[in-house]
């Protein structure tokens, strides 16, 4: 237990040094701290990687389900998007972030673990040819798992991606 406390303290300190200006969220019972970033930080990261984003409402209000927000996105999730863009070389458009209106749960959009991507032949071909098919999700969506453990669910008109980590960033 002593080691875990020291490890958490070191990890939190490292996150504050490596990523100043972002929040580190965690409690004494967490196995590790999750680094949260602002909408502005996320859009800067995405813009730099050549990733686009859109919303049906043309907005970024986290409390409006018609918007696409990145407020309180996990840093590892944003880095995962950058990794996907770099690995695929495909155009990548984010259509869903941390805004309300998605399914709830620990590993949810609201909690910063998920992004939705618009479907394209390039992205779909990469996911299906590179990642391992792991079966259908409870709602019937086919799922593919990357080597790093992240899960890509084909929801028909978009990819719903669960980032446990940055995917090898």
């Amino acid at each position: 237990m002593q080691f875990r406390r020291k490890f958490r303290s070191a990890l939190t300190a490292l996150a504050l040094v490596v990523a100043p200006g972002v929040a580190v969220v965690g409690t004494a019972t967490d196995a590790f701290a999750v680094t949260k970033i602002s909408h502005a930080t996320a859009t800067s990261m995405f813009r730099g990687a050549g990733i686009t984003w859109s919303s049906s409402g043309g907005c970024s209000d986290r409390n409006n389900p018609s918007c696409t927000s990145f407020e309180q996105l996990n840093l590892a999730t944003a880095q995962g998007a950058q990794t996907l863009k770099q690995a695929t070389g495909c155009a990548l458009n984010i259509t869903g972030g941390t805004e309300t209106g998605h399914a709830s749960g620990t590993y949810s959009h609201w909690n910063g673990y998920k992004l939705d991507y618009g479907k394209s032949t390039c992205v779909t071909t990469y996911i299906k040819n590179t990642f391992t098919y792991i079966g259908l999700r409870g709602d019937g969506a086919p799922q593919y798992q990357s080597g790093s453990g992240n899960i890509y669910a084909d929801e028909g008109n978009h990819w719903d991606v669960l980032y446990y980590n940055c995917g090898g960033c």
Side-chain angles (χ1 to χ4, degrees), residues 13 29 46 53 66 68 76 85-86 88 111 117 161 166:
T29 59
F46 297 149
W53 58 95
S66 297
T68 297
K85 169 67 176 165
Q86 182 179 15
T88 64
N111 288 336
Y117 298 107
V161 183
C166 67

Side-chain angles (χ1 to χ4, degrees), residues 65-84:
S66 297
C67 298
T68 297
S69 174
F70 305 122
E71 196 61 43
Q72 296 297 304
L73 188 67
N74 294 343
L75 177 60
T77 302
Q79 291 170 326
Q82 290 176 311
T83 300
L84 182 63

Side-chain angles (χ1 to χ4, degrees), residues 118-137:
K119 278 281 207 67
S120 73
T121 302
C122 183
V123 171
T124 297
T125 299
Y126 179 86
I127 291 169
K128 290 183 175 183
N129 289 341
T130 307
F131 302 148
T132 303
Y133 176 74
I134 58 170
L136 301 177
R137 197 167 63 184

Side-chain angles (χ1 to χ4, degrees), residues 31-47:
F32 61 91
V34 176
T35 303
K36 300 291 187 178
I37 60 174
S38 69
H39 182 81
T41 298
T43 57
S44 177
M45 291 174 69
F46 297 149
R47 193 175 293 112

